[in-house]
Amino acid sequence: MENDGRARGDQHSTRNSGPAVVGRESETAEIIRRVGADRSHSDVLIVTGDPGAGKSTLLDLAADRARGAGGRVLRAVGSESEAHLGFAGLHQMLRPVLREAEGLPSRQRSALRAVLGLEECAETPDAMLVGLAVLTLVSDLAETAPLVVVVDDAQWIDRGSLDVLSFVARRMDSEPVTLLVGVRTADALPGFDKGYERLELGPLDAGAANRLLDRQPTPPTGRTRVRILEEAAGNPLALVELAHATAIRHPEGSGVEGPLPVTDRLERIFAGHAADLPEPTRRILLLLAAADAADAQAAAVGLPEADDETWVPADRAGLVRQDGSGISFRHPLVRSAVYHAASFEERRRAHLALAELLREEPDRRAWHLAAATVRPDQDVSAALQQTADRARRRGGFAAAAAAQERAAELSPRREDRARLLTEAAATAVFTGQLGWVEHLAAAVRECTDDQALLGKAALATGQLMSLGPHHTAAFALLMRVADEAADARSPLVLDTLAAAAVVRYYSGEESQQRQIQSLLSRMPDDAAGAALHAWVLAVSDPSSAGAFLVPVLPGLIAEAKGDASRLTALAIVAWLLDQTTLAARTFDEAFDQWQTRGSLPDGLGCAAGWTRLEQGRWAEARSVAADIAAMASSAGLDHAEACAHALDATVVGLLGDPATARRLAERALALVDPLESRSVAVFARRALGMAAVAEGNYDTAYTQFRSAFTDDGDPVHYHVSYTVLAELAAAAVRRGRQEHAAELLERSARRLGTGMSARVSALIDRGRALLADPEHAEPFFRAALEEPAGEQWPFERAQTQLDYGEWLRRQRRIAEARPLLSAALETFQRLGARPWVERAQAELRAAGIEAGDVVPSAFAELSPQQQQIVQLAARGLTNREIGDKLFLSPRTVGSHLYRVFPKLGITARSQLRDVVEGILSGTGVQGGAPRLPRNAR
């Protein structure tokens, strides 16, 4: 832990009154403000600075102030030796409140206890369920008093715990919870690198540095003082320690050597302090340095000589401090200095002693044995493999992969090393760390020529690479693995083709489809691989696969009951084939069962969001986009993040916020190379086109929609491009480019042939109707609306109704136009598609219907999350049940309902059902339904 300037002589005198934080007055005021007693909302603050800058001191101060104001504090401190232990940080933070966790809903309680290693679990706990458990717990704890969660040295918090904290931070809303996170400036912090306020602790200025030196027991003077100020460069801990070192060892300052990095210099100073201690003190100090945070008390009491008196010299030397929770190092650099100054044999004995003390803690014991071992050892390797298995079952994939990698290093047999490294690569995929996966795959290549293992390691690399921006390289790697697997008649070939098909979808590259099809045609029919075979066909070429797959898809889904992974894959297939209702139902079923294997978005994960958008469930689509964007951003997966932004941009544009839609779409385009990620490029351009339509800017709209096709009229993307055909036609009519648009539309129809879905067929018919001469348009309008399946795509159907109604009105067939225009308005109103509401209103007025008092409903004005909460509450779910479904705390749910009741014009929860039923039936239009004038009735 870091000390930014507690004078050595003042440590005991200020322990109760609080530290004197020299030169950090504004930072102190800011952090005290964050933990003040009058807090009714959540807050997240990232405190950054170099080692010794004072992060820990400020966090200690915040914790003390929160307790003094009657608040509650949960703490976790990262350590290098604990970073590989899955959910160790979470366990440290929640250990004081495990009894309160027993009151969580059963699913949440079981998931949390499983990842903390408190009970065995047959399946990997759902990562989002674990996050929800912690969110619910902190919300419950904050019911009685404001809660402050302090996470120090977060750069060493294990990844599993960090992901949970990031999940909680994103979902805290009205909770009186403050999350303070201390991290070194140079270290990345996945999940917290964007969107949160930061408090940067820079070097102290000259005045503050001098004041700090004046507070030391022996303030340096003269040349010594000048040298210390120069060497410390404003680092508070360096100022204190250099002053102390020169006062004791070199009164004239001659021992202050430089130039060295502050960290190295301080470690050297601390090591010098430790070298002067009595032998018993040095021995237990090394034991403490070798211990994890949770092992520290075992280290402190585990040796006969480790009594209070033995620690006194270390305390006097300023190396350790003792508080109510025990003995700890005053700064991580002290621990590092003590540990690395010892000989290897001394460190080995310390780890063996800890392993003996921790026989009841098999995971920690295994790592201490590993640290004491330099030669291959089958027993230690086996212990690490068991640790990896336990970590993986708890969802701690980084911890599991680290244990597998170390187990491989200690395995005596070459073939076992290769197997363990391959397993480590497959596990590390779920950490999102491509460099680590590539390193593990390279290690596999170095120790085996087993093609099956080499293929699995390469597949792991390709799977993770496919979620990044470099799809050409990912596809080449995957196809090489698939070819080798096919030659060896390995079952790995279908898994690899499935991953390659995802890359083909992302890239839209036609040559990739030919390679996939060539290899797939060599595969024998296999009932066990039917679902995977269907996946490859649908993802790589949906227009050709539809005729074969659509009839058998319901049967494949029925066979997959209970298997969430297969259900998800088949739901994506249904979406690709424009079986939207079936896709939505299957996604819903899979979601209810899903036990996630990791925190990464699965292949084509945004398909669930696109399905909900197409079905008219826009709030849910935005929720999917938000979750995927957050996960992808924290894992550094640019393509996956871009997919999510393109989805959100589309919904936002349809809702009538073109500025936000443009920002999101442009962000999506900036994250990818459009030639490597054609799917994202076309989705984002489509969103930009719809935003332009919302503004009435048809020149821009035409340009954006036209970019979905090449100059020759071929689709830029074999699946997404066809979804813009009707919009392209509509914009072309307004721009006077009917001839060019008609040629492109008919070229697309010929290219698709009999493989087009009912949805694309309706879009083409709408486009034909818009582009046709007025006397020839009606058959195409009727064709676009006559297919019953069109109800699956309410917004697109309403657009056709609006266009047809407008055409009928211009043909002076007013009575026929009114029902179509009214139906379109009701759909747009229900969805909240404001620009299309306004256009439908104008058409209705022109058709003689009083539509002036028709305004967007209050429901449409709610946020996507609030709409979901209202719909679930209307079904009778409690706040806790709603929170369980939407991964929100019960308090946040209640806060949203409290705010939306006045907006909906209701005062009781019992009224929600009537409100929602009115909205979904199209009658919930604020101000009443459209009314015909008396002479038109």
Side-chain angles (χ1 to χ4, degrees):
M1 299 192 204
E2 300 168 22
N3 188 319
D4 71 350
R6 248 184 283 194
R8 184 174 303 278
D10 289 346
Q11 281 179 357
H12 296 288
S13 63
T14 61
R15 182 166 292 164
N16 294 325
S17 60
V21 189
V22 177
R24 300 291 189 208
E25 289 77 14
S26 63
E27 293 92 339
T28 299
E30 173 64 16
I31 209 161
I32 288 176
R33 181 183 69 80
R34 303 273 180 160
V35 297
D38 183 20
R39 285 184 293 113
S40 58
H41 59 87
S42 64
D43 199 2
V44 179
L45 181 67
I46 314 299
V47 183
T48 64
D50 292 332
K55 301 184 294 295
S56 295
T57 297
L58 281 181
L59 294 176
D60 288 346
L61 177 63
D64 290 344
R65 288 301 180 100
R67 291 190 189 96
R72 192 164 191 174
V73 177
L74 297 179
R75 297 201 63 159
V77 181
S79 67
E80 286 182 280
S81 57
E82 218 171 30
H84 53 257
L85 291 172
F87 299 101
L90 194 63
H91 184 272
Q92 188 185 154
M93 184 182 88
L94 298 182
R95 186 167 51 180
V97 294
L98 289 178
R99 180 171 297 178
E100 286 94 330
E102 292 302 308
L104 291 171
S106 59
R107 286 198 318 144
Q108 296 179 30
R109 182 178 64 250
S110 296
L112 182 59
R113 288 181 60 82
V115 299
L116 296 180
L118 301 176
E119 65 181 45
E120 290 295 321
C121 54
E123 294 182 300
T124 301
D126 185 331
M128 293 186 76
L129 195 58
V130 175
L132 178 59
V134 177
L135 179 63
T136 304
L137 179 57
V138 299
S139 177
D140 289 348
L141 292 171
E143 285 282 355
T144 55
L147 177 68
V148 175
V149 180
V150 177
V151 182
D152 200 3
D153 287 319
Q155 70 276 359
W156 292 324
I157 292 288
D158 65 277
R159 182 60 185 269
S161 297
L162 204 58
D163 287 343
V164 171
L165 288 168
S166 173
F167 176 97
V168 172
R170 292 196 302 271
R171 284 163 175 79
M172 293 193 307
D173 182 15
S174 57
E175 315 292 339
V177 178
T178 299
L179 174 59
L180 303 175
V181 181
V183 62
R184 292 184 175 182
T185 300
D187 288 286
L189 197 61
F192 291 94
D193 53 347
K194 301 174 187 174
Y196 297 109
E197 291 187 62
R198 306 178 82 82
L199 182 64
E200 174 70 33
L201 304 186
L204 298 181
D205 61 28
N210 274 294
R211 290 200 307 275
L212 181 56
L213 289 179
D214 288 339
R215 293 173 61 95
Q216 302 313 303
T218 307
T221 58
R223 185 171 65 87
T224 299
R225 188 182 187 95
V226 172
R227 186 72 183 276
I228 290 173
L229 289 168
E230 185 178 280
E231 293 294 327
N235 183 282
L237 185 62
L239 286 162
V240 172
E241 295 304 330
L242 290 172
H244 179 63
T246 55
I248 294 177
R249 294 169 176 264
H250 307 282
E252 299 303 318
S254 59
V256 184
E257 299 188 13
L260 290 174
V262 169
T263 299
D264 292 345
R265 181 166 62 249
L266 290 176
E267 284 202 27
R268 180 176 296 184
I269 291 171
F270 290 139
H273 293 342
D276 294 335
L277 299 175
E279 173 60 24
T281 302
R282 283 193 290 114
R283 190 159 59 250
I284 62 169
L285 205 59
L286 176 57
L287 197 67
L288 186 64
D292 296 330
D295 306 341
Q297 297 316 303
V301 302
L303 297 179
E305 65 267 33
D307 54 24
D308 289 343
E309 290 302 315
T310 313
W311 290 106
V312 169
D315 186 34
R316 286 175 179 163
L319 300 177
V320 298
R321 61 182 175 192
Q322 187 166 10
D323 53 33
S325 61
I327 295 171
S328 59
F329 286 107
R330 199 161 54 83
H331 190 278
L333 294 180
V334 179
R335 177 188 203 160
S336 177
V338 169
Y339 186 82
H340 292 291
S343 67
F344 172 76
E345 181 56 30
E346 289 172 326
R347 294 199 299 268
R348 191 182 74 84
R349 287 198 298 267
H351 283 294
L352 288 175
L354 286 166
E356 183 65 27
L357 290 169
L358 295 166
R359 285 191 167 276
E360 300 303 316
E361 298 282 346
D363 294 339
R364 299 179 189 280
R365 180 175 183 272
W367 278 107
H368 283 300
L369 290 173
T373 306
V374 291
R375 296 183 179 85
D377 187 308
Q378 183 59 46
D379 291 339
V380 178
S381 178
L384 285 168
Q385 291 175 55
Q386 292 170 1
T387 287
D389 289 341
R390 285 188 289 268
R392 189 169 49 244
R393 287 198 298 271
R394 298 197 303 268
F397 296 96
Q404 288 167 328
E405 183 177 16
R406 183 62 175 137
E409 294 170 356
L410 294 177
S411 180
R413 302 175 65 230
R414 186 182 181 89
E415 55 268 35
D416 287 339
R417 287 201 298 276
R419 174 182 57 80
L420 287 166
L421 287 167
T422 302
E423 292 175 2
T427 303
V429 166
F430 297 103
T431 70
Q433 299 178 45
L434 179 59
W436 189 11
V437 176
E438 290 176 327
H439 166 75
L440 291 166
V444 174
R445 292 194 295 273
E446 290 177 4
C447 68
T448 187
D449 55 5
D450 185 321
Q451 290 302 310
L453 294 178
L454 291 170
K456 288 179 181 177
L459 172 58
T461 305
Q463 286 174 321
L464 189 52
M465 190 185 296
S466 70
L467 294 173
H470 304 300
H471 294 132
T472 301
F475 187 83
L477 172 61
L478 289 166
M479 288 308 296
R480 177 178 62 76
V481 175
D483 282 329
E484 292 171 355
D487 292 340
R489 299 184 181 278
S490 166
L492 190 67
V493 63
L494 260 183
D495 291 309
T496 310
L497 283 177
V502 172
V503 180
R504 144 73 171 162
Y505 187 88
Y506 288 158
S507 72
E509 174 58 51
E510 285 301 311
S511 64
Q512 294 177 356
Q513 160 58 15
R514 293 191 290 273
Q515 294 180 62
I516 291 172
Q517 188 57 45
S518 173
L519 192 53
L520 194 63
S521 64
R522 294 160 48 189
M523 299 295 298
D525 291 335
D526 179 9
L532 208 53
H533 197 275
W535 164 273
V536 175
L537 286 172
V539 172
S540 60
D541 191 6
S543 62
S544 297
F548 162 68
L549 286 177
V550 168
V552 303
L553 192 55
L556 292 173
I557 291 171
E559 292 172 5
K561 294 288 185 186
D563 186 336
S565 182
R566 286 177 65 197
L567 284 171
T568 301
L570 291 169
I572 293 171
V573 170
W575 168 70
L576 289 163
L577 300 179
D578 285 328
Q579 301 294 302
T580 304
T581 300
L582 179 62
R585 187 166 61 244
T586 309
F587 273 126
D588 290 343
E589 183 179 350
F591 181 81
D592 287 341
Q593 300 175 8
W594 183 248
Q595 294 290 316
T596 184
R597 295 183 302 159
S599 59
L600 299 184
D602 208 355
L604 296 179
C606 272
W610 289 115
T611 298
R612 285 160 170 78
L613 183 151
E614 292 161 13
Q615 201 182 32
R617 296 159 64 180
W618 290 359
E620 294 174 60
R622 294 202 68 192
S623 293
V624 170
D627 284 337
I628 291 179
M631 287 188 289
S633 176
S634 66
L637 302 173
D638 289 348
H639 180 87
E641 183 181 355
C643 289
H645 288 321
L647 168 60
D648 203 24
T650 305
V651 184
V652 170
L654 296 177
L655 290 169
D657 184 357
T660 302
R662 279 194 297 272
R663 178 178 57 78
L664 289 165
E666 287 163 1
R667 172 63 177 156
L669 290 170
L671 284 167
V672 298
D673 178 346
L675 295 179
E676 289 264 358
S677 301
R678 291 179 179 88
S679 61
V680 167
V682 178
F683 273 132
R685 295 291 179 190
R686 188 179 76 173
L688 288 170
M690 295 306 292
V693 170
E695 292 180 309
N697 183 350
Y698 291 98
D699 281 345
T700 298
Y702 179 85
T703 301
Q704 296 294 351
F705 295 139
R706 182 62 182 82
S707 70
F709 296 86
T710 66
D711 291 342
D712 294 333
D714 292 329
V716 170
H717 190 272
Y718 61 95
H719 178 245
V720 189
S721 288
Y722 296 123
T723 65
V724 309
L725 285 169
E727 300 300 340
L728 175 64
V733 169
R734 302 249 182 182
R735 196 184 178 199
R737 300 293 298 271
Q738 292 95 318
E739 184 178 343
H740 293 88
E743 181 181 341
L744 192 151
L745 186 145
E746 295 305 329
R747 181 186 178 99
S748 296
R750 289 192 299 272
R751 186 184 183 101
L752 287 167
T754 59
M756 72 175 72
S757 68
R759 179 192 179 197
V760 174
S761 178
L763 293 174
I764 288 177
D765 280 329
R766 178 188 168 215
R768 284 169 171 161
L770 292 168
L771 294 167
D773 292 334
E775 63 270 21
H776 299 138
E778 187 165 21
F780 297 118
F781 278 128
R782 289 186 177 276
L785 291 173
E786 69 183 5
E787 174 60 58
E791 297 292 346
Q792 297 178 85
W793 311 289
F795 178 75
E796 292 170 4
R797 193 173 187 84
Q799 285 180 295
T800 305
Q801 290 170 330
L802 177 59
D803 291 335
Y804 189 16
E806 182 180 16
W807 180 88
L808 286 168
R809 183 185 63 77
R810 290 177 178 176
Q811 299 300 310
R812 300 186 182 281
R813 294 159 61 179
I814 305 298
E816 295 174 75
R818 287 168 178 161
L820 287 165
L821 294 173
S822 294
L825 176 60
E826 288 174 1
T827 299
F828 295 142
Q829 173 63 42
R830 173 169 57 86
L831 297 175
R834 185 189 300 274
W836 286 266
V837 167
E838 294 170 354
R839 183 179 156 199
Q841 288 173 341
E843 285 297 322
L844 278 166
R845 283 193 294 270
I849 295 180
E850 296 176 11
D853 60 348
V854 179
V855 297
S857 71
F859 182 80
E861 300 295 309
L862 303 181
S863 71
Q865 191 174 79
Q866 288 172 335
Q867 290 180 12
Q868 287 180 284
I869 290 170
V870 166
Q871 289 174 319
L872 292 171
R875 287 164 46 188
L877 275 69
T878 66
N879 289 1
R880 191 168 285 258
E881 289 168 336
I882 295 170
D884 202 26
K885 282 188 172 291
L886 301 184
F887 300 100
L888 300 169
S889 74
R891 181 196 293 268
T892 296
V893 173
S895 176
H896 278 302
L897 288 173
Y898 178 80
R899 291 198 296 269
V900 304
F901 275 24
K903 295 179 182 179
L904 295 176
I906 62 176
T907 57
R909 198 181 187 106
S910 58
Q911 296 172 280
L912 284 172
R913 184 172 182 176
D914 291 338
V915 170
V916 171
E917 286 181 352
I919 291 164
L920 297 180
S921 66
T923 62
V925 180
Q926 186 175 319
R931 296 191 301 275
L932 293 173
R934 290 186 183 276
N935 61 2
R937 290 175 187 167

